[in-house]
Amino acid sequence: MSEPTASPDPRLAARRRELVEAAYAVFADRGYRAAGVADIVKHAGVSHGTFYNYFDNKRHILDAVLDYSVEHLIEEVIGEDRPGAAETSAEFAAQFRAFLRRLFDVLEREPRLVEFVMLEAPAIDAELVTRLSGLFGTLSSLTNEYVHSGVERGYLRGDIDPQIASECLLALLFSVVVLAARGPVAAADRERHVNALTDFAVAGVLA
Amino acid sequence: MSEPTASPDPRLAARRRELVEAAYAVFADRGYRAAGVADIVKHAGVSHGTFYNYFDNKRHILDAVLDYSVEHLIEEVIGEDRPGAAETSAEFAAQFRAFLRRLFDVLEREPRLVEFVMLEAPAIDAELVTRLSGLFGTLSSLTNEYVHSGVERGYLRGDIDPQIASECLLALLFSVVVLAARGPVAAADRERHVNALTDFAVAGVLA
Amino acid sequence: MSEPTASPDPRLAARRRELVEAAYAVFADRGYRAAGVADIVKHAGVSHGTFYNYFDNKRHILDAVLDYSVEHLIEEVIGEDRPGAAETSAEFAAQFRAFLRRLFDVLEREPRLVEFVMLEAPAIDAELVTRLSGLFGTLSSLTNEYVHSGVERGYLRGDIDPQIASECLLALLFSVVVLAARGPVAAADRERHVNALTDFAVAGVLA
Amino acid sequence: MSEPTASPDPRLAARRRELVEAAYAVFADRGYRAAGVADIVKHAGVSHGTFYNYFDNKRHILDAVLDYSVEHLIEEVIGEDRPGAAETSAEFAAQFRAFLRRLFDVLEREPRLVEFVMLEAPAIDAELVTRLSGLFGTLSSLTNEYVHSGVERGYLRGDIDPQIASECLLALLFSVVVLAARGPVAAADRERHVNALTDFAVAGVLA
DNA sequence: AATGAATGAGTCTTCATTCAT
DNA sequence: AATGAATGAAGACTCATTCAT
């Protein structure tokens, strides 16, 4: 979740973080492939050598940037809606609706970031696909908590497979990424999608 | 100079097709980035120069290959289940189930092809994202025909937004691509997903 | 001994040779390590890409250059004194004397070439050491022909081990390389060495 | 600043020696070029900065290491056979034979060290060639003592040029380095060489 | 005297594209 | 229309050395 565990010197950790943030900015701006190490170090204001003191190669920093990005994205989308907060089906629907809205917001605010994480990153590496799949698994577990809590409180169906249901909810959530990839989404369209997607999602899990 | 539409000479069209098929094989095998023009021309048995007589550049042939690939994938997944074939909700569910199974099959049989189309291609270009989004739109329209037919025959809800519902169904369908990206899916797991996804999908649209 | 056997197109062979000659000049001038591919291609008047069309990498052309150099060196030193030419021990001594003189000549004329082959090349690679050892083996075989002919004609001792004797003669020959490495050799000193080395060599093999 | 002669503080001298020994080990193991300053300081357990307090640069420590190495090698080869020890031609031959055997031993025991001194070092620098030539001169003078002693005692020819004869003897000795470079030498081959080389050497100088 | 993080010049190699034949 | 040798821009990475602490 945070620093590579054993970086006792805070100055080193700080510099490492600077580099990750610089790379984050550069990758979000130009994409991983198009970005050069030169861009990263210029953005961070350090030399090439320093970069290679902290990361073995360009590919290596990507892992750190991806963690950083995904963390960032998840926070943005989840906001205050923690699992277990919803006590009724209406509140559950409201949460899902909120997630969709915030995802639309991020897509509008930082389109390159989402593109980077969801479109470019999987294409870089077989290993990175696995890594992202892992992150998706984490996300799925998180979603599972929402579902589980709903089943316990009785407003979600008890006979569903919670894990797969979570994956379905995520799939519906992510469908707006594909939508946004087609171009800017007008406010009305956006609201139409938020509602229809929420309806669809709720129908799939509601008691 | 090399527009697909105006190739009166059938020999030229044939050679063009040979190149597309060679590129298809090469991209499916190594991915777009890793593949070199050298690989394509070697596979097609022609020279570099010939390649550039038919396509302006490496990026240019990708469009043709992508059309070819998507066409191929859609055929594989749709099989015989044409829109309008389902007359009852049970048949509709059976169709969706069949789509899922065939998608799992393709993922198992040609994993690199699916990866190429769904993971790598979107990362190449902003233009390609648009293009793929367009193809997704086509797919969505196609799905819409299924939904529309269902609504007309009364086994699907009349108050749903058919377009968005189609997108939802597709999103659920594609969720298995993400699943498969995490590693090979055991037969039992596969069946579990086929069933749960179908249930979820049907719940969202059923009358 | 000559071209890599299968280069049917004479233009390709010519260009290859141009590159080898350029590399030969550059390596002899600056040494292998200090020389850049950029130096070679500039000297040859071609682009970087062309270089890599003919040789996989900088290390690869070294083999060709080394063959070329050694061939060149051997020719210079042997001159007209072919094996079997000597019919008496005096003629044998005269041959050895001539080899020494011509070696001194080459050392004076092309000191960097000798340095390159005998001092720098062995340091580059374990593989190159083996390769040079192999070339030394060839040289040893060649020397063996001189010894063998001498034994047959009776002016060299019959009880010597001809192979090892050849190696000894070569070692004595090469001792002048070490001598020359210490600095320019005055004419008088040179003659002293020619005579003393010849005496020593002849004493070791004469009947 | 870091001259070997003026180090009054014994702790400084000790640390300097530690560094030289570390570099010796590292160079003998990986060669000069492949070895990094990082390897040396890690082996010595000090920091980069400390290294540069004792030596101006990587090249600078090489001189010290070379002296150390050559000293080591010479001791190994000479063993107990000091000049003047041989009183007869048979004892002289026995000494030469012993040198050869011990050289074979070292080549087997520490092949990288010999390679480093004899193959790699000369390739590094023009200056180093001179330096090694100087060391070779020392060696030659040492050999000269053996020859001189033999001439005085009458078992070696009086009309030879003792200096050049010494160089010849060294050249024959070193020919086994070239031999060993071609690969491991079988015991039988080794003995054949020891004998034949001794015969050849003795023939060149014996009265 | 010691530390070690920072420096940055230097170099090989790839590959899409061109064009003379 | 076909060939394929030539092009050259672009970019990742190394490592000896420095200097603030």
Side-chain angles (χ1 to χ4, degrees):
Chain A
M1 289 264 146
S2 51
E3 281 331 294
T5 24
S7 296
D9 192 332
R11 280 174 310 179
L12 296 193
R15 171 117 312 171
R16 193 190 148 90
R17 187 170 190 84
E18 275 167 40
L19 280 164
V20 171
E21 278 167 5
Y24 167 82
V26 171
F27 290 166
D29 180 39
R30 317 162 61 89
Y32 172 76
R33 220 103 209 183
V37 173
D39 298 310
I40 299 171
V41 299
K42 200 199 295 178
H43 198 282
V46 300
S47 71
H48 277 227
T50 296
F51 177 89
Y52 285 95
N53 278 158
Y54 289 87
F55 301 95
D56 291 340
N57 49 51
K58 184 185 159 191
R59 173 63 185 74
H60 191 87
I61 200 176
L62 181 57
D63 286 339
V65 171
L66 210 65
D67 286 342
Y68 184 86
S69 305
V70 170
E71 214 177 304
H72 183 85
L73 273 177
I74 291 181
E75 269 172 26
E76 290 276 358
V77 172
I78 291 188
E80 300 299 310
D81 288 298
R82 298 283 152 198
E87 310 221 342
T88 67
S89 63
E91 282 172 17
F92 177 84
Q95 275 191 332
F96 194 81
R97 196 170 258 112
F99 292 155
L100 283 168
R101 289 216 178 90
R102 282 193 289 257
L103 184 51
F104 268 117
D105 287 343
V106 185
L107 281 162
E108 211 169 285
R109 214 179 325 120
E110 308 189 60
R112 296 290 296 124
L113 170 62
V114 181
E115 268 173 44
F116 166 62
V117 173
M118 307 214 38
L119 299 182
E120 189 176 15
I124 293 166
D125 237 28
E127 199 200 314
L128 215 48
V129 172
T130 312
R131 196 182 174 76
L132 276 167
S133 300
L135 292 171
F136 184 83
T138 311
L139 213 53
S140 184
S141 300
L142 183 61
T143 312
N144 209 359
E145 292 182 42
Y146 291 89
V147 173
H148 190 73
S149 155
V151 172
E152 275 201 329
R153 297 191 178 170
Y155 59 79
L156 296 191
R157 295 223 313 273
D159 64 339
I160 56 175
D161 181 320
Q163 187 212 327
I164 300 181
S166 304
E167 286 167 14
C168 290
L169 295 176
L170 283 175
L172 295 177
L173 212 47
F174 288 151
S175 74
V176 312
V177 174
V178 177
L179 178 71
R182 304 176 70 170
V185 182
D189 239 36
R190 187 177 142 157
E191 213 47 30
R192 241 182 77 228
H193 272 87
V194 168
N195 290 324
L197 284 167
T198 304
D199 289 349
F200 195 105
V202 166
V205 290
L206 213 66
Chain B
M1 227 138 259
S2 51
E3 285 318 292
T5 28
S7 296
D9 190 333
R11 282 174 312 175
L12 296 195
R15 170 134 298 182
R16 193 190 147 89
R17 187 171 187 83
E18 275 166 39
L19 279 165
V20 172
E21 278 168 5
Y24 167 81
V26 171
F27 290 166
D29 181 38
R30 317 162 61 92
Y32 173 76
R33 221 101 211 182
V37 172
D39 297 310
I40 299 171
V41 299
K42 199 202 294 180
H43 198 282
V46 301
S47 72
H48 280 223
T50 297
F51 177 90
Y52 284 92
N53 277 153
Y54 289 87
F55 300 95
D56 292 340
N57 50 48
K58 183 185 163 191
R59 174 64 184 74
H60 190 87
I61 199 176
L62 182 57
D63 287 339
V65 171
L66 211 64
D67 287 341
Y68 186 87
S69 304
V70 170
E71 208 176 306
H72 181 86
L73 273 178
I74 292 181
E75 267 173 27
E76 289 275 356
V77 172
I78 292 188
E80 300 297 311
D81 288 297
R82 300 283 150 196
E87 311 221 341
T88 67
S89 63
E91 282 172 15
F92 178 83
Q95 276 190 331
F96 194 81
R97 196 169 259 113
F99 292 157
L100 283 167
R101 290 216 177 92
R102 282 192 290 258
L103 185 49
F104 268 117
D105 287 342
V106 184
L107 281 163
E108 212 169 282
R109 216 179 324 121
E110 308 190 60
R112 296 291 294 124
L113 171 62
V114 180
E115 269 172 45
F116 165 62
V117 174
M118 307 213 39
L119 299 181
E120 189 177 14
I124 292 165
D125 237 26
E127 198 201 315
L128 213 49
V129 173
T130 313
R131 193 182 176 77
L132 275 167
S133 301
L135 291 172
F136 185 83
T138 312
L139 212 52
S140 185
S141 302
L142 183 61
T143 313
N144 209 1
E145 294 182 41
Y146 291 88
V147 173
H148 190 73
S149 155
V151 172
E152 275 201 329
R153 298 194 178 168
Y155 59 80
L156 296 191
R157 295 219 316 270
D159 63 338
I160 56 175
D161 181 322
Q163 187 212 327
I164 300 181
S166 305
E167 286 167 13
C168 290
L169 294 176
L170 283 175
L172 294 177
L173 212 47
F174 288 152
S175 75
V176 312
V177 174
V178 177
L179 177 71
R182 304 178 69 172
V185 182
D189 240 38
R190 189 178 142 156
E191 213 47 30
R192 243 182 75 227
H193 273 85
V194 168
N195 289 325
L197 284 167
T198 305
D199 289 349
F200 196 105
V202 167
V205 291
L206 213 64
Chain C
M1 293 262 144
S2 51
E3 282 329 298
T5 23
S7 297
D9 192 332
R11 281 174 309 179
L12 296 194
R15 171 120 308 174
R16 192 191 148 91
R17 188 170 190 84
E18 275 168 38
L19 280 164
V20 171
E21 278 167 5
Y24 168 82
V26 172
F27 290 166
D29 180 39
R30 318 163 60 91
Y32 172 77
R33 222 105 209 180
V37 172
D39 298 310
I40 299 171
V41 299
K42 199 200 295 180
H43 198 282
V46 299
S47 72
H48 278 223
T50 296
F51 177 89
Y52 285 93
N53 277 157
Y54 290 87
F55 300 95
D56 291 340
N57 49 51
K58 184 184 160 191
R59 173 62 185 76
H60 191 86
I61 200 174
L62 182 56
D63 287 339
V65 171
L66 210 65
D67 286 342
Y68 185 87
S69 304
V70 170
E71 211 176 306
H72 183 85
L73 273 176
I74 292 180
E75 268 172 27
E76 290 275 357
V77 172
I78 292 187
E80 301 297 310
D81 288 298
R82 300 282 150 196
E87 310 221 341
T88 66
S89 63
E91 284 173 14
F92 178 84
Q95 276 190 330
F96 194 81
R97 196 170 258 114
F99 292 156
L100 282 167
R101 290 216 177 89
R102 282 192 289 255
L103 185 50
F104 269 117
D105 287 342
V106 184
L107 282 162
E108 212 169 284
R109 216 180 321 122
E110 308 189 60
R112 299 289 295 125
L113 170 62
V114 181
E115 269 173 45
F116 166 62
V117 174
M118 307 212 40
L119 300 182
E120 189 177 15
I124 293 166
D125 236 29
E127 198 201 314
L128 214 49
V129 172
T130 313
R131 193 180 176 77
L132 276 167
S133 300
L135 291 170
F136 185 83
T138 312
L139 213 53
S140 185
S141 301
L142 184 62
T143 313
N144 209 0
E145 294 182 40
Y146 291 89
V147 173
H148 191 73
S149 154
V151 172
E152 274 201 331
R153 296 189 178 173
Y155 59 79
L156 296 191
R157 295 220 316 271
D159 64 339
I160 55 173
D161 180 321
Q163 187 213 326
I164 301 182
S166 304
E167 286 166 13
C168 291
L169 294 176
L170 283 175
L172 295 177
L173 212 47
F174 288 151
S175 74
V176 312
V177 174
V178 177
L179 178 71
R182 303 177 69 173
V185 182
D189 239 37
R190 186 177 142 155
E191 213 47 31
R192 244 181 75 228
H193 272 87
V194 167
N195 289 324
L197 284 167
T198 305
D199 289 349
F200 196 104
V202 166
V205 291
L206 213 66
Chain D
M1 227 136 261
S2 52
E3 284 317 292
T5 29
S7 297
D9 191 333
R11 282 175 310 178
L12 296 194
R15 171 135 297 185
R16 192 191 147 89
R17 187 171 188 83
E18 275 166 37
L19 279 164
V20 172
E21 278 167 5
Y24 168 82
V26 171
F27 290 166
D29 181 39
R30 318 164 60 93
Y32 173 76
R33 221 102 208 185
V37 173
D39 297 311
I40 300 171
V41 299
K42 199 202 295 180
H43 198 281
V46 300
S47 72
H48 280 222
T50 298
F51 177 90
Y52 284 92
N53 278 155
Y54 288 88
F55 300 95
D56 294 339
N57 50 48
K58 182 184 163 190
R59 173 66 184 74
H60 191 86
I61 200 176
L62 181 57
D63 286 339
V65 171
L66 210 64
D67 287 342
Y68 186 88
S69 305
V70 170
E71 209 176 306
H72 181 87
L73 273 178
I74 292 180
E75 266 173 28
E76 290 275 357
V77 172
I78 292 188
E80 300 299 308
D81 289 297
R82 300 282 150 197
E87 309 222 339
T88 66
S89 64
E91 284 172 15
F92 177 83
Q95 275 191 331
F96 194 81
R97 197 170 258 114
F99 293 157
L100 283 168
R101 290 215 177 92
R102 283 192 289 257
L103 184 50
F104 268 116
D105 287 342
V106 184
L107 282 162
E108 214 169 281
R109 215 180 323 123
E110 310 190 57
R112 296 291 295 123
L113 172 61
V114 181
E115 269 172 46
F116 165 62
V117 174
M118 306 213 41
L119 298 181
E120 189 177 15
I124 294 165
D125 237 28
E127 198 201 316
L128 213 49
V129 172
T130 313
R131 192 181 177 76
L132 275 167
S133 300
L135 290 171
F136 185 83
T138 312
L139 212 52
S140 184
S141 301
L142 182 63
T143 312
N144 209 358
E145 292 183 41
Y146 290 89
V147 172
H148 191 73
S149 155
V151 172
E152 273 200 331
R153 296 190 178 172
Y155 60 80
L156 295 191
R157 296 220 317 268
D159 63 338
I160 55 173
D161 180 320
Q163 187 214 325
I164 301 181
S166 304
E167 286 166 13
C168 290
L169 294 176
L170 282 174
L172 296 178
L173 213 46
F174 289 152
S175 74
V176 311
V177 174
V178 177
L179 178 71
R182 303 177 69 171
V185 182
D189 240 38
R190 188 178 143 156
E191 212 47 30
R192 243 181 75 227
H193 273 86
V194 167
N195 289 325
L197 284 166
T198 304
D199 289 349
F200 196 105
V202 166
V205 291
L206 212 66

